[in-house]
Structure formats: C-alpha cells, structure tokens
C-alpha cells in the first residue's frame, strides 16, 4: 500500500511574509540526534527544532530520530521531546504544530558500538524517506562527548548511513570542545574527514549564532563612521569578556580537566576576536568569511612573558546573588587536588598593519560579579585637549561596547559638557538596545544554526583550519600554566584573581567592570 504524501504546508500566522530574519525554509529532510538524554538536547536542540517548526521554517515531513541507550518506544521519545519543548521552547506551544512534528518522531535504542542498532537506524531512515518524504536528506547531530565522535562517525560509514544517492545529502554536526589541544584536534579532524567531506561537517559554536555577534559584522562594514577609526591609530586596546555568575553546576565530569581557557577562550572568545579584528571580506559567502578569519587567527601572537601577560584562577566560597556558595574544590564531583582553572585571561597581539601595537585582552570566568558577554573597543585619548586639568578629571577613554548578552545592544561612551557656566566635561553613554529598537524578538542561536545545517549554509561554522589555528594560539599558554602549578584563588562574586588586575596594570590599563 502506497503511503499518503505529506500534507501540504499550512499557513503559519507566526511567520510574516515581510520577516527577513529567518526567511529561508528547509527542504525535505530529517535529523538524527545522538545523546537525546543530555542537557544540550533537552534544553537547546529539541526546543529549537520545535520553534523552527512553529515559525513554519521546517518542511511538513521533517523527521527527528533519537538514538540513545534507553529501552524506549517511539512514544516514550515523543514524551521526552514534549516535556523539553514545554519547558524550554521560545515560542508558544501550539497543539497543531506539535501533532504534525510528532508524526515524524522515531527512536532507536543502542550503544555507539552496537552494530544491530545502526542497522536499525539505517532501516528507520529508509522508512522515513518512504513515509515522510525526507528524500534521503539527513543530518546527524552528535550531542555526545567528543571521545565518541570518531566511533559514531565510523559506525555511520560502515553501515552505509553516509552514502548519498543523486542530489540527496548527509551532514554531521558536532559540538565543542573540538579536541583538548592541537594534536587531539588534528586527530579528531582526520577521523571526521575520513568519513564526511569537509563541506558537510558543521562544527557548532552557538555564540556565532547570536544576533549580537553577527551584528559585529554589520556594525563594522555597514557604517562608514567606524572603519576609519578601526585601527591602531585610534584604538588603544580591546577587551573581550565572557563572565558568568554561576559555578560549574552539574558539569563537574566535563569541566574538571578542561577548564575555562579550553571551554571558552579557544572557541567563543577567539571567534569573537576574529570577527572584531578581521579585514573586510569580499562578500559574506562562507569561503570569503572563513578566509578573513583564518588570516586574522594566523596573525595572532603571544607576548614572550606569559607569566606577566596571562592569569588564571579558581573560585573560592563566597557570596553570589545574595547567596552563600561553595568553592570550586568543594563542588560535587571535583577532585580536592584539582588544578583546573575557573578563570582565565590572556593578552594577545595581532601582527599586521591594522593592529600592530594594540593588545587584545580576553577573559572568562565563573562565579564572577555578574553574567555578561561583551566586546569593548577602547579608543585612545585625544592627543591634545585645550581644557584645564580639572575640567576633564572625570573624563576617561571613549569606548564602543558591543553587548552580546544579556541586555543585547551597544553603548558608545564619550565626553560631554556638564550644563552650567564652567567648562566641565564628563562621560556620557549613548545606548542602542535590541529590545527598544526592534519589535520582533531575535531567534535563539540554535534555531539559526540548526536551520543553517539543514540548508547546507555554513558561514557561521568554523572549519577545521580555524579550530587548529585557535589551538596553536592557546597551547603555549596551557603548557605554561601546567608547569606553573595551582591557579590563584579568588572569592566568588568578585571579578577574578589579583593577577588579572596586575596583568593590565603593568600596561597602565584596567579591566572594565560591566
């Protein structure tokens, strides 16, 4: 009996024809999700899939296959997705959307080395091609520990799951960390390249999917007022911060031995730095963007004295958000002798004409003063100020701050005269906030990134060359810290260890306090 064709696309009142934020709709396809029981799948991937469907951006026959070591039936998996969507989805839950989406849910139980399970997965995908019209187009999302990437990729190849026919496609999605150093990153890249062509490997860095991160490109290249100042003639230094006010939570098994530098600087912060400092691409096509990011990362150098130009710390017990919190070594699952850093700061330089002599300060940490991610471009003081010293004693550097999260937007700080008869100048702020300027809300990062995977559009995904260049930058720092011993303690709720402040003080600068 021939199955009925998928129902025609219904009109979606949530999608305005004039909405240009996510206007593209994925063609016939499905997604296989490995690691469906993890936090990433439940809190990010599953809700994002529902939100895309709710906005009319997935095909009517879209299918989702879960793979995990659980004795579940299809309806059990559907209940897991349902609970995740109800708790974490960004858009309103709508029963008609859910019913259409849930018709394409399937579950395959098994281990990553279970040949029978991958045979069943192949049969399941073939059945979806027939019943749901997915046309042989499937993405494999590996929301699993990196140590299993190679095993799963090999299994997919051996069981014919990477084979394509005609215009159909197969793609793989992996999450950070992409290795733990340069050698392991190269090994991982070789394993994946042996199974999937490079253009079908999507390395997700969710920060690159944030609207405010992409606005860095718009700010730089759509506004002529910034480009003449975006160089060492006018920029004093750049600070890139990702601060969290929470501890490691339930991530002890992952975090201990990884640390702040591998977890954040190697990927998120170096990618932010590349977008801030790269040259203008010839277009916003994926290859043109990658080329400029790679050129920038290849130009990054470390100072000679890493003991004076880097800092690392480990949070102690203290107060955060009005609550008494434990120190890192007191967290459940953490070794009492752990030397893993929860705070990391590095000084980097870019050896090219645009940025010669401009330091880039990157920092990240847990249990800091507040949750904030921002890029601060700090400009040099005016070379001559025809004012008395008292008139400008409260005047600091001009700063352009790009707020990635929360309170997404931008702030420009500059000097202005205080009303009155005296010539007194103080800093004032000019603010742009997404919430106050646009009526529509920004799509969540995973919505954009998953849709790009299904469309085969890779501009926001770092290729293996960028990953390896990032490890080349960070590896000497990690090796220096390993020789140095224990990280410096800092109290929870503060802005990190004293050595981080001393790092900037040696250059006559101070960290921003967001």
């Amino acid at each position: 009996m021939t199955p009925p064709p998928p129902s025609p696309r219904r009109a979606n009142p949530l999608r305005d024809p004039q909405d240009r934020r996510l206007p593209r709709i994925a063609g016939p396809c499905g997604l296989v999700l490995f690691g469906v029981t993890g936090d990433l799948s439940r809190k990010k991937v599953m809700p994002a899939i529902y939100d895309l469907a709710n906005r009319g951006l997935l095909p009517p026959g879209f299918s989702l296959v879960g793979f995990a070591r659980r004795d579940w039936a299809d309806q059990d998996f559907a209940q897991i997705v349902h609970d995740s969507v109800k708790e974490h989805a960004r858009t309103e839950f709508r029963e008609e959307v859910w019913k259409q989406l849930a018709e394409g849910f399937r579950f395959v139980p098994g281990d990553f080395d279970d040949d029978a399970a991958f045979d069943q997965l192949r049969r399941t995908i073939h059945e979806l091609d027939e019943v749901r019209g997915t046309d042989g187009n499937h993405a494999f999302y590996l929301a699993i520990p990196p140590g299993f990437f190679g095993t799963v990729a090999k299994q997919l190849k051996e069981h014919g799951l990477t084979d394509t026919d005609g215009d159909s496609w197969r793609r793989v999605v992996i999450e950070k960390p992409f290795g733990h150093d340069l050698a392991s990153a190269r090994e991982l890249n070789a394993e994946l390249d042996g199974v999937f062509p490079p253009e079908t490997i999507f390395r997700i860095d969710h920060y690159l999917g944030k609207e405010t991160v992409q606005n860095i490109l718009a700010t730089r290249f759509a506004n002529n007022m910034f480009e003449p100042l975006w160089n060492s003639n006018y920029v004093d230094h750049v600070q890139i911060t990702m601060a969290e006010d929470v501890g490691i939570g339930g991530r002890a098994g992952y975090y201990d031995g990884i640390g702040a530098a591998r977890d954040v600087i190697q990927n998120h912060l170096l990618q932010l730095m590349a977008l801030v400092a790269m040259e203008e691409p010839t277009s916003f096509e994926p290859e043109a963007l990658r080329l400029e990011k790679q050129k920038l990362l290849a130009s990054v150098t470390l100072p000679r004295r890493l003991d004076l130009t880097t800092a690392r710390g480990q949070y102690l017990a203290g107060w955060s958000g009005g609550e008494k919190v434990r120190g890192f070594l007191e967290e459940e699952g953490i070794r009492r002798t752990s030397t893993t850093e929860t705070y990391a700061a590095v000084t980097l330089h870019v050896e090219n004409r645009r940025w010669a002599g401009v330091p880039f300060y990157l920092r990240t940490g847990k249990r800091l003063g507040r949750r904030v991610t921002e890029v601060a471009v700090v400009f040099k003081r005016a070379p001559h100020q025809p004012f008395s010293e008292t008139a400008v004693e409260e005047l600091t550097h001009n700063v352009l701050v790009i707020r990635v999260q929360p309170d997404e937007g931008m702030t420009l700080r500059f000097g202005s005269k205080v009303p009155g008869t005296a010539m007194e100048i103080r800093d004032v702020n000019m603010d742009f906030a997404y919430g106050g300027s646009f009526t529509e809300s920004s799509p969540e990062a995973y919505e954009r990134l998953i849709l790009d995977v299904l469309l085969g559009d890779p501009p926001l995904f770092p290729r293996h060359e960028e990953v390896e260049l990032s490890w080349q930058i960070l590896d000497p720092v990690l090796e220096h810290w390993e020789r140095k011993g224990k990280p410096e303690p800092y109290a929870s709720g503060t802005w990190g260890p004293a050595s981080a402040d001393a790092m900037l003080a040696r250059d006559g600068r101070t960290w921003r306090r967001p």
Side-chain angles (χ1 to χ4, degrees), residues 208-500:
L208 298 185
K210 291 183 179 294
E211 197 75 29
T212 39
V213 171
Q214 295 174 61
N215 194 42
I216 294 173
L217 298 177
T219 299
R220 290 194 57 194
F221 303 127
N223 300 289
N224 200 39
M225 70 176 79
F226 295 117
E227 177 58 24
L229 308 179
W230 215 260
N231 55 62
S232 60
N233 292 328
Y234 297 97
V235 175
D236 181 79
H237 69 280
V238 178
Q239 296 184 24
I240 303 178
T241 298
M242 179 180 167
E244 297 179 272
D245 55 3
V246 298
I248 60 166
R251 302 177 69 209
Y254 162 79
Y255 201 86
D256 193 15
I258 298 294
R262 288 185 175 96
D263 189 39
V264 175
I265 291 180
Q266 184 273 332
N267 37 77
H268 301 330
L269 298 195
L270 283 174
Q271 283 289 320
L272 282 176
M273 178 180 174
L275 294 175
V276 168
M278 72 182 195
E279 297 298 319
E280 181 176 353
T282 55
S283 72
F284 285 101
E285 293 299 312
E287 285 303 320
L289 279 171
R290 286 199 203 102
L291 178 62
E292 296 304 334
K293 286 198 293 178
Q294 286 172 215
K295 285 167 57 179
L296 187 283
L297 292 172
S299 302
V300 174
T301 62
L302 289 164
R304 291 184 179 180
R305 293 289 304 272
L306 295 180
D307 56 328
L308 302 179
T309 56
T310 68
R312 64 170 183 157
Q314 198 179 77
Y315 65 80
L316 299 173
W319 291 88
S320 179
E323 296 182 359
K324 183 73 172 177
V325 295
R326 294 181 294 186
F328 177 71
L329 297 181
E330 299 160 0
E331 298 278 15
E332 185 176 348
I334 295 297
R335 297 171 293 119
R336 298 299 176 260
T337 58
S338 174
T339 58
T340 299
E341 81 281 353
T342 61
Y343 178 99
V346 297
T347 306
L348 300 177
H349 295 280
V350 179
E351 298 300 327
N352 63 21
R353 178 168 294 191
R354 180 185 292 268
W355 296 111
V358 177
F360 285 74
Y361 301 112
L362 279 57
R363 62 171 170 169
T364 183
K366 292 187 176 296
R367 289 283 184 226
L368 298 183
R370 62 166 296 198
R371 172 178 172 262
V372 62
T373 300
E374 67 171 34
V375 176
V377 180
V378 183
F379 293 94
K380 294 179 178 178
R381 293 181 183 275
H384 172 66
Q385 294 183 340
F387 309 105
S388 66
E389 186 174 337
T390 56
V392 295
E393 61 185 359
E394 295 187 46
L395 188 65
T396 60
H397 290 262
N398 299 151
V399 183
L400 177 64
V401 181
I402 301 171
R403 299 189 303 275
V404 176
Q405 68 175 18
D407 306 322
E408 292 86 350
M410 295 172 56
T411 296
L412 181 63
R413 187 176 74 195
F414 56 95
S416 180
K417 181 183 178 299
V418 178
T421 56
M423 177 59 74
E424 182 182 357
I425 301 175
R426 293 181 189 170
D427 287 331
V428 295
N429 290 333
M430 183 181 294
D431 278 313
F432 151 61
Y434 270 78
S437 299
F438 302 109
T439 56
E440 65 267 26
S441 61
S442 299
E444 206 274 337
Y446 274 87
E447 292 176 51
R448 181 181 298 278
L449 295 172
I450 290 172
L451 182 59
D452 282 346
V453 169
L454 300 179
L455 290 165
D457 191 10
L460 301 177
F461 298 84
R463 285 281 288 272
H464 70 88
E465 295 91 346
E466 294 173 61
V467 172
E468 293 181 11
L469 284 168
S470 297
W471 281 119
Q472 285 182 23
I473 295 167
L474 192 60
D475 270 2
V477 176
L478 297 173
E479 292 166 4
H480 167 73
W481 286 348
E482 190 172 346
R483 292 191 300 269
K484 191 176 179 181
K486 293 184 177 180
E488 181 182 353
Y490 64 95
S492 291
T494 65
W495 281 98
S499 57

Side-chain angles (χ1 to χ4, degrees), residues 93-113:
F93 187 83
R94 302 170 66 226
E95 194 63 34
E96 65 272 25
V97 174
W98 171 255
K99 285 182 178 179
Q100 179 172 309
L101 188 62
E103 288 174 2
F105 290 170
R106 302 290 187 274
F107 184 77
V108 175
D111 291 314
F112 299 144
D113 57 357

Side-chain angles (χ1 to χ4, degrees), residues 10-23:
R10 54 174 176 74
N12 189 339
L14 292 182
R15 187 170 183 270
D16 186 331
Q18 300 303 313
D19 182 358
R20 301 180 63 185
R21 292 168 299 155
L22 289 174

Side-chain angles (χ1 to χ4, degrees), residues 201-214:
I201 302 172
F202 291 74
R203 297 166 178 82
I204 277 197
D205 184 337
H206 70 273
Y207 258 67
L208 298 185
K210 291 183 179 294
E211 197 75 29
T212 39
V213 171
Q214 295 174 61

Side-chain angles (χ1 to χ4, degrees), residues 35-273:
V36 297
T37 59
D39 279 357
L40 174 64
S41 294
R42 292 186 299 103
K43 295 180 180 179
K44 295 294 183 181
V45 180
M46 295 175 187
I49 288 171
Y50 171 80
D51 288 331
L52 287 171
N54 209 1
R55 300 185 61 218
L57 297 169
L58 295 182
F62 178 82
S63 301
L64 176 64
V65 181
F67 187 106
R69 189 174 55 186
R70 292 289 190 277
D71 186 20
W72 289 344
D74 292 346
Q75 59 267 29
D76 299 319
F77 174 56
Q79 186 62 47
I80 295 295
V81 181
H82 179 275
D83 294 345
S84 300
V85 167
K86 291 282 281 188
E87 185 176 358
H88 300 290
R90 184 176 64 89
T91 59
E92 179 186 0
F93 187 83
R94 302 170 66 226
E95 194 63 34
E96 65 272 25
V97 174
W98 171 255
K99 285 182 178 179
Q100 179 172 309
L101 188 62
E103 288 174 2
F105 290 170
R106 302 290 187 274
F107 184 77
V108 175
D111 291 314
F112 299 144
D113 57 357
D114 185 347
D115 290 332
F118 279 85
D119 283 336
Q120 183 182 341
L121 178 59
R122 186 183 67 250
R123 292 191 296 270
T124 300
I125 285 177
H126 180 70
E127 180 248 337
L128 291 171
D129 289 339
E130 296 289 329
V131 175
R132 299 284 292 174
T134 46
D135 287 358
N137 301 321
H138 297 275
F140 303 100
Y141 199 125
L142 309 189
I144 57 179
F148 295 110
F149 288 168
T151 301
V152 172
K154 182 180 177 182
Q155 287 280 59
L156 292 173
K157 181 178 182 179
E158 289 183 352
H159 291 271
L161 287 157
T162 60
D163 299 339
T164 57
D165 183 21
D167 293 331
S168 65
W169 51 259
R170 301 292 166 96
R171 299 172 185 142
V172 65
V173 186
I174 60 174
E175 288 268 354
K176 73 174 184 72
F178 312 122
H180 62 270
D181 57 14
L182 178 58
S184 61
R186 284 175 171 165
E187 183 179 349
L188 174 59
N189 287 332
E191 288 181 330
L192 293 173
D193 288 346
V195 176
F196 292 92
E199 66 274 10
T200 67
I201 302 172
F202 291 74
R203 297 166 178 82
I204 277 197
D205 184 337
H206 70 273
Y207 258 67
L208 298 185
K210 291 183 179 294
E211 197 75 29
T212 39
V213 171
Q214 295 174 61
N215 194 42
I216 294 173
L217 298 177
T219 299
R220 290 194 57 194
F221 303 127
N223 300 289
N224 200 39
M225 70 176 79
F226 295 117
E227 177 58 24
L229 308 179
W230 215 260
N231 55 62
S232 60
N233 292 328
Y234 297 97
V235 175
D236 181 79
H237 69 280
V238 178
Q239 296 184 24
I240 303 178
T241 298
M242 179 180 167
E244 297 179 272
D245 55 3
V246 298
I248 60 166
R251 302 177 69 209
Y254 162 79
Y255 201 86
D256 193 15
I258 298 294
R262 288 185 175 96
D263 189 39
V264 175
I265 291 180
Q266 184 273 332
N267 37 77
H268 301 330
L269 298 195
L270 283 174
Q271 283 289 320
L272 282 176
M273 178 180 174

